Amino acid sequence: MSVRSRAAAPGVRHLVVVLGDQLDAGSAALDGFEPGRDVIWMAEVAAESEHVVSSKVRTALFLSAMRHFRDAQRKLGRRVEYVELDASGNTQTLAGELARAIQALKPERILMVGAGEWRLAQEIAAVAQKAGLPLEVRADRHFLCSPEEFQQHAHGRKQLRMEFFYREMRRRHRVLLDKAGEPLGGQWNFDHDNRESFGRDGPPRPLPAPRRFPPDATTRAVLGLVERKFAQHPGDLAAFDWPVTPEQAREALRDFIDHRLTDFGRYQDAIWVGEPWLYHSRISAAMNLKLLDPREVIASAEEAVRSGRVPLAAGEGFIRQILGWREYVRGIYWTRMPGYLERNTLDAHAPLPAWYWTGDTEMACLRDAITQTLAHGYAHHIQRLMVTGLYSLLLGVDPREVHAWYLGVYVDAVEWVELPNTLGMSQYADGGVMASKPYAATGKYLQRMGNACAGCRFDPAKATGDDACPFTTLYWDFLLRHEKVLRANQRMALQVKNVDRLNTAQRADIRARAASIREGGGEPPAPRGGLPLTAAGAG
């Protein structure tokens, strides 16, 4: 369906802009909506799938959720002007379509909640200014901490650390507190009870499969459209089953609370080949598209803890990701942009390996994480941080390229949440704003946390030689390349001290093998012999 063919009725008061990640029926943008005078405007445009290469799964989720939101608003009697991707005359840019809508509808004002991306906020403001229309941007009450409140938290602090912010949020919103206002269980953080691996035997069987949402007619139409319009984009739609409505999102939340939250904390960092979901929630995309309110998520998890259905350690670990990390990341984004996008503290400029778009690599952990990502538009946080992210960090990939990949391939990727996690947490490109040290490790970490190494030709204990794990080679090369910077970081002291144990020959051999990996586009060279390094340990 294209723009509805109605005469441009005079008296349109507010043109309410709703972007693809603003599908909140309770949005502040809809406060005071008058069906006779106000119009909701939405548009599907190719540019939003092409300014970074968006996977088919990600694009399909956004478009399907948008169309379901449109239909729900129309059922409420609200006028929605909606431009579909293949509509005649579609300029395929948000700016172009908004300008067309302004010309046709002649509104008195443009109204919206704040965009989730700096680029879009600037584009929409520019269109409004060119049209000579006031633009009213309302606070997005989906979130529990406004950018202004985060700025107050950050004021005067030499370092920003999520843990302190999280404690403030717990107190402010009275989450997991006892009657005296102190943390339930006597401590704020139960990390020491969480983050186990599955061990050699693997996860308990059978794993609790998450609730699936087979595509309805609206979603099936979107899947066909995406296959036609973005045939060359990465990803596979065969397994598409994401929640695309608020009702489905709530079902997904209930399913997680009832069947997986109990073991979430314990195994949240574990990896197992061929098992994409494990005990994870699968609701981040629903929250980031605003189909699901984080308050409802937090309240459901807290109720499960207080009723004794879920261990405190598991519930606290999950709530920390929502009330702490998610809000903290957004605060970092909006108080650091636009300059944050240009940060590159480690001066990394290598290209992203081409096989990040295909999964065609000999490295079993990367092959599993990437093929899973392309099939589902999803990987859990350790796969992102300590598999795909760790490898690009050690390889020295330009953080802008890593950012573009993460923004394009994951269904929950909106720039406010993706950019700080990628550029700051994963790639340490911000020099410590997000994380107090680089998350650098050898292949031994991956061997501890999963089973990919068992099916891989590379040995995580070796840094050099034909069968040396590229993670381990590049880890030592990373320490050597950034030795001066890392020595100044107290949290890296032990790791850097291990560099002193390397002799001249070992250093040369590490550097040579690392260079050959880079020359091979990030892929290790074919077996040719070499000097094994096992004495220096693993990070």
Side-chain angles (χ1 to χ4, degrees):
M1 183 182 295
S2 61
V3 175
R4 288 181 133 190
S5 56
R6 297 184 180 185
V12 173
R13 184 181 64 147
H14 292 158
L15 186 64
V16 181
V17 172
V18 175
L19 302 177
D21 64 330
Q22 297 179 336
L23 311 179
D24 181 0
S27 170
L30 298 172
D31 288 353
F33 189 94
E34 293 186 15
R37 298 188 63 198
D38 298 335
V39 177
I40 296 171
W41 176 82
M42 304 174 73
E44 303 171 0
V45 296
E48 292 309 301
S49 290
E50 294 172 343
H51 81 280
V52 298
V53 179
S54 183
S55 76
K56 294 175 183 176
V57 189
R58 179 176 182 266
T59 295
L61 176 59
F62 272 74
L63 298 190
S64 177
M66 288 170 66
R67 291 187 181 193
H68 282 90
F69 178 87
R70 169 200 66 190
D71 295 345
Q73 290 298 308
R74 284 178 175 168
K75 284 181 180 178
L76 294 174
R78 292 171 172 172
R79 181 179 174 187
V80 183
E81 294 293 338
Y82 192 100
V83 186
E84 293 195 351
L85 188 68
D86 54 358
S88 175
N90 189 335
T91 62
Q92 301 300 341
T93 69
L94 277 175
E97 288 310 293
L98 181 55
R100 282 210 307 155
I102 291 170
Q103 185 176 22
L105 299 170
K106 297 179 173 53
E108 298 172 7
R109 174 185 299 266
I110 300 172
L111 193 154
M112 65 183 297
V113 295
E117 186 171 342
W118 179 273
R119 172 186 62 89
L120 288 178
Q122 302 309 301
E123 284 186 12
I124 293 169
V127 172
Q129 183 178 32
K130 185 175 181 180
L133 286 176
L135 171 63
E136 180 181 342
V137 180
R138 295 178 177 174
D140 192 342
R141 58 177 174 242
H142 169 89
F143 297 98
L144 289 89
C145 181
S146 70
E148 293 75 21
E149 289 170 332
F150 187 86
Q151 185 64 61
Q152 291 174 7
H153 165 82
H155 182 71
R157 295 178 185 266
K158 293 182 178 179
Q159 289 185 322
L160 292 176
R161 291 294 170 256
M162 195 279 290
E163 181 66 26
F164 303 114
F165 171 76
Y166 168 60
R167 294 179 186 185
E168 284 186 11
M169 294 293 285
R170 286 265 297 271
R171 290 193 186 279
R172 182 190 307 172
H173 296 282
R174 299 202 58 79
V175 174
L176 290 179
L177 299 181
D178 61 22
K179 292 181 179 179
E182 295 303 313
L184 210 62
Q187 59 193 63
W188 293 103
N189 186 314
F190 287 84
D191 251 2
H192 70 274
D193 294 327
N194 294 332
R195 305 180 184 280
E196 294 181 22
S197 71
F198 290 124
R200 293 183 179 180
D201 295 333
R205 301 291 177 170
L207 281 165
R211 173 82 163 81
R212 298 184 67 245
F213 301 93
D216 62 7
T218 299
T219 300
R220 290 195 298 272
V222 166
L223 298 182
L225 175 66
V226 171
E227 286 285 15
R228 293 193 307 272
K229 294 291 187 180
F230 302 107
Q232 302 307 311
H233 283 221
D236 187 346
L237 296 173
F240 188 95
D241 65 348
W242 290 99
V244 293
T245 67
E247 295 76 18
Q248 290 179 344
R250 292 190 186 99
E251 284 186 49
L253 171 62
R254 287 193 294 269
D255 176 67
F256 169 64
I257 298 289
D258 291 343
H259 301 296
R260 299 191 301 286
L261 178 55
T262 292
D263 289 306
F264 165 78
R266 183 179 179 187
Y267 295 124
Q268 64 179 294
D269 285 6
I271 304 170
W272 204 256
V273 171
E275 297 289 354
W277 315 119
L278 298 171
Y279 295 99
H280 293 271
S281 69
R282 235 175 71 120
I283 61 171
S284 58
M287 282 196 294
N288 292 351
L289 269 60
K290 316 291 174 55
L291 302 177
L292 189 59
D293 193 307
R295 293 165 186 80
E296 183 175 353
V297 176
I298 293 165
S300 296
E302 182 171 17
E303 188 280 328
V305 169
R306 291 186 182 276
S307 67
R309 293 187 292 134
V310 167
L312 175 57
E316 185 278 318
F318 176 69
I319 287 172
R320 186 168 1 113
Q321 291 193 358
I322 310 301
L323 182 60
W325 193 253
R326 187 171 185 263
E327 298 286 337
Y328 173 76
V329 164
R330 180 173 181 258
I332 293 288
Y333 181 83
W334 285 112
T335 56
R336 293 295 191 278
M337 285 295 282
Y340 193 81
L341 184 59
E342 308 301 325
R343 302 290 290 270
N344 191 354
T345 294
L346 298 178
D347 197 30
H349 297 288
L352 186 75
W355 44 261
Y356 264 66
W357 298 102
T358 65
D360 185 15
T361 173
E362 281 193 282
M363 291 171 279
C365 60
L366 282 160
R367 183 172 62 245
D368 180 62
I370 292 171
T371 54
Q372 171 192 306
T373 293
L374 297 175
H376 300 290
Y378 170 85
H380 70 65
H381 65 279
I382 290 299
Q383 290 174 300
R384 300 190 202 193
L385 178 65
M386 299 304 294
V387 182
T388 53
L390 173 60
Y391 196 73
S392 59
L393 169 71
L394 300 180
L395 191 63
V397 176
D398 189 319
R400 288 288 293 266
E401 291 199 30
V402 185
H403 154 60
W405 185 79
Y406 276 86
L407 184 59
V409 298
Y410 289 116
V411 293
D412 55 6
V414 181
E415 194 175 83
W416 67 264
V417 66
E418 174 277 326
L419 179 61
N421 271 309
T422 301
L423 189 142
M425 185 74 172
S426 173
Q427 302 303 294
Y428 199 70
D430 66 4
V433 173
M434 278 284 292
S436 57
K437 74 180 188 72
Y439 278 81
T442 71
K444 294 292 288 182
Y445 171 84
L446 297 170
Q447 186 180 46
R448 287 195 302 273
M449 299 310 297
N451 66 333
C453 296
C456 189
R457 80 169 177 89
F458 301 109
D459 185 342
K462 295 182 179 180
T464 60
D466 291 344
D467 61 346
C469 175
F471 280 89
T472 304
T473 301
L474 292 170
Y475 167 81
W476 292 106
D477 179 70
F478 177 83
L479 296 184
L480 289 169
R481 284 187 294 121
H482 300 295
E483 186 174 354
K484 183 177 179 180
V485 171
L486 298 179
R487 283 191 187 279
N489 187 319
Q490 291 184 346
R491 293 199 64 201
M492 292 295 295
L494 183 60
Q495 288 172 278
V496 176
K497 189 176 292 185
N498 284 330
V499 172
D500 298 333
R501 299 166 59 189
L502 301 178
N503 61 39
T504 301
Q506 287 174 325
R507 289 171 181 249
D509 207 32
I510 289 167
R511 287 182 167 127
R513 182 162 175 82
S516 68
I517 292 171
R518 292 192 180 88
E519 290 165 4
E523 187 72 8
R528 59 178 179 77
L531 175 68
L533 170 67
T534 58

